Amino acid sequence: MLDIKFVRENQEAVAEAMKNRHAEWDGARFADLDDRRRAAIVKEEALQAERNTLSKQIGGLMKEGKKDEAEAAKARVAEIKAEMEDATAEREQIDADLRDLLLHTPNMPSDTTPVGDDENDNPEVRRWGTPRTFDFEAKAHWDLGPELGIIDFERGVKLAASRFVVLGGLGARLERSIINFMADTHTSRGYTEWWLPAMANARTMTGTGQLPKFENDMFKTFATDMEGTSDKEGDNLYLIPTAEVQLTNLHAGETLGVDELPKHYCAFTPCFREEAGSAGRDTRGLIRVHQFDKVEMVKVCEPEKSFDELEAMVADAENILQLLGLPYRVITLCTGDMGFSAAKTYDLEVWLPCYNDYKEISSCSNCTDFQARRMGMRYKDPENFKGTRYVHTLNGSGLAVGRTMAAIIENYQQADGSIKVPDVLVPYMGVDVIPAL
């Protein structure tokens, strides 16, 4: 959430940033609410001051025998109480309206985020590896996987719905091996691993920015009573779209010491996304499904260090791809293509022969203090400043497991229909080839 003081003092810059992000922004409404809020606060304070003054006078008037004046003062105190209740109710409603406006407003892009309209305006930063040239007719993972008996799309539909998948045999082992390899690699580089709930409450989802704006993209559970008839809204839970939600909120509402920073966390979780509005986009295979596995990285740090931490996080994600020997490129997302909470984002895109193109496999973002402000996560550094400051939070995929599997199947396929297992996964798999049937 943006700082109300920053928005107040930089309304033109905010309006320009929201325009560049293609985000809805009603500057006039913000200014009106902000003015009304400050006027309501002044009114509350004036009434409080008047009540305090009169309350102090009443005892003295009674001692002086000025009963009529004392009674008049008491009557006015009673009136003030009613007026204050009205003023407070008015201010609280304005506060709620202002908070709702800011909760629907995305983060400010960093100065180094390129301005652009959509994915076509994302500049490429670098490439690694050379896409393979096949001397046979290569197959897409959605064809090769079922042929090998390791991916079953039809049974995924039978058991759940479209865009769910079943993995069997060496396919299930490959998924598990990728997860363990990624988690082991990140922990070896200083990340602390967590095991987390796959569900989160509304407060937690709000903290990282999924709610309230992206309610329709979430899978939601409904609390019921013993008869299964009650719907208690406050008890509803959401299936998490990424472990970022839980990892970042671990310290929600806390004040950390500077000596506790930075924090580098990682976790494997299943992820669930309704993918509302994505119909027709990459719906074949493992690229865009409703449930997938992911190993996530999260960092919490001092503001001055967050952009260096972002570069390091990207390097950690790249390290996974390099160890797997998968060609990829890094791009910087422009303002029109960047996520809601991010101030700057790098995407890593892996080479997929079926598309003859690169497809996103990791997104690494610096959210500055946007999420920390929503969830109330601060730190103190008494030697350098008084009071507390908001931390900066970062998140990145390390990596999306299903897309990694798709990339391995396609890039490591062999002429006889088998799949060579990347060297780093052989100790986890126990085999070096997924054989053709």
Side-chain angles (χ1 to χ4, degrees):
M1 188 164 63
L2 298 180
D3 177 14
I4 186 172
K5 181 180 178 183
F6 173 85
V7 178
R8 179 187 304 133
E9 296 174 354
N10 298 274
Q11 293 194 47
E12 290 185 6
V14 171
E16 181 68 17
M18 296 307 116
K19 176 183 175 182
N20 291 336
R21 295 201 60 152
H22 305 310
E24 295 182 4
W25 173 247
D26 191 339
R29 183 164 183 262
F30 169 82
D32 176 62
L33 286 171
D34 189 43
D35 287 343
R36 288 167 54 200
R37 174 179 178 271
R38 286 188 284 174
I41 291 172
V42 170
K43 183 178 180 180
E44 276 186 293
E45 291 175 346
L47 288 170
Q48 180 69 52
E50 184 182 358
R51 185 177 69 175
N52 291 345
T53 299
L54 289 172
S55 296
K56 291 178 181 179
Q57 290 176 351
I58 290 171
L61 292 170
M62 292 295 288
K63 288 180 181 179
E64 295 172 9
K66 299 178 179 178
K67 186 177 179 181
D68 291 343
E69 293 182 36
E71 291 301 321
K74 288 179 182 179
R76 176 55 187 155
V77 167
E79 291 176 357
I80 291 173
K81 180 181 178 181
E83 290 177 18
M84 282 191 65
E85 289 176 353
D86 292 341
T88 299
E90 179 186 7
R91 193 258 308 154
E92 287 177 347
Q93 182 59 57
I94 294 170
D95 280 342
D97 292 342
L98 196 53
R99 177 175 171 77
D100 183 69
L101 176 63
L102 293 177
L103 282 175
H104 284 81
T105 303
N107 200 359
M108 293 285 291
S110 77
D111 293 339
T112 57
T113 294
V115 175
D117 288 332
D118 53 34
E119 60 187 11
N120 297 311
D121 295 325
N122 296 335
E124 184 175 309
V125 180
R126 57 184 171 272
R127 295 189 180 198
W128 185 92
T130 302
R132 179 180 171 190
T133 300
F134 294 92
D135 56 7
F136 59 90
E137 186 174 350
K139 295 180 179 180
H141 70 276
W142 54 74
D143 292 323
L144 189 53
E147 288 178 12
L148 296 174
I150 62 175
I151 304 176
D152 195 322
F153 296 105
E154 293 181 0
R155 284 189 171 89
V157 174
K158 180 174 74 171
L159 295 175
S162 61
R163 291 161 74 176
F164 287 89
V165 300
V166 169
L167 304 176
L170 290 178
R173 191 188 302 182
L174 179 57
E175 181 89 355
R176 178 160 47 88
S177 297
I178 293 170
I179 292 166
N180 288 338
F181 159 67
M182 290 178 180
D184 288 348
T185 302
H186 289 313
T187 55
S188 74
R189 292 165 72 93
Y191 287 81
T192 299
E193 185 177 6
W194 292 80
W195 192 264
L196 304 163
M199 292 184 181
N201 56 41
R203 180 182 64 255
T204 299
M205 297 287 276
T206 301
T208 40
Q210 280 74 28
L211 293 180
K213 189 172 178 63
F214 302 104
E215 173 94 17
N216 291 335
D217 289 333
M218 304 296 128
F219 283 104
K220 186 177 182 180
T221 68
F222 292 90
T224 59
D225 59 17
M226 294 297 290
E227 286 72 38
T229 56
S230 137
D231 177 9
K232 297 179 290 183
E233 186 70 24
D235 293 335
N236 293 335
L237 296 173
Y238 297 81
L239 295 174
I240 60 172
T242 167
E244 168 206 342
V245 172
Q246 304 290 39
L247 283 173
T248 312
N249 273 283
L250 282 172
H251 299 288
E254 296 180 17
T255 298
L256 305 171
V258 69
D259 57 330
E260 299 179 76
L261 302 176
K263 291 187 178 295
H264 293 179
Y265 291 157
C266 71
F268 149 71
T269 62
C271 304
F272 305 88
R273 298 186 186 180
E274 178 67 24
E275 298 285 10
S278 65
R281 293 184 57 200
D282 304 328
T283 53
R284 296 191 69 184
L286 300 174
I287 301 304
R288 196 177 293 274
V289 291
H290 290 312
Q291 177 183 338
F292 60 96
D293 293 328
K294 184 155 65 79
V295 175
E296 184 76 358
M297 303 174 289
V298 159
K299 294 184 176 184
V300 178
C301 67
E302 298 165 70
E304 294 78 12
K305 299 178 180 179
S306 64
F307 285 97
D308 288 339
E309 290 283 7
L310 176 61
E311 300 296 329
M313 178 178 280
V314 173
D316 291 330
E318 289 186 75
N319 179 57
I320 298 292
L321 289 169
Q322 291 176 13
L323 290 172
L324 289 170
L326 295 172
Y328 67 89
R329 68 173 185 167
V330 180
I331 62 173
T332 306
L333 297 194
C334 68
T335 52
D337 196 35
M338 195 164 54
F340 181 80
S341 297
K344 183 172 185 177
T345 298
Y346 291 107
D347 270 9
L348 278 67
E349 298 182 338
V350 69
W351 178 259
L352 282 176
C354 68
Y355 290 99
N356 194 37
D357 200 359
Y358 294 93
K359 287 291 179 180
E360 178 198 338
I361 196 168
S362 174
S363 190
C364 297
S365 300
N366 183 356
C367 298
T368 56
D369 65 358
F370 186 80
Q371 294 177 326
R373 194 176 294 278
R374 294 168 78 101
M375 64 181 68
M377 194 195 320
R378 299 170 176 266
Y379 79 103
K380 55 185 176 182
D381 182 3
E383 292 186 4
N384 292 302
F385 58 83
K386 294 181 180 179
T388 61
R389 299 169 72 193
Y390 288 106
V391 297
H392 278 196
T393 62
L394 302 90
N395 63 79
S397 313
L399 308 163
V401 179
R403 294 188 179 200
T404 302
M405 178 183 286
I408 289 171
I409 291 172
E410 294 193 9
N411 285 283
Y412 279 90
Q413 62 182 295
Q414 302 184 101
D416 65 355
S418 64
I419 301 169
K420 182 182 182 300
V421 176
D423 292 343
V424 293
L425 294 183
V426 171
Y428 296 91
M429 287 287 291
V431 299
D432 57 9
V433 172
I434 299 175
L437 297 179

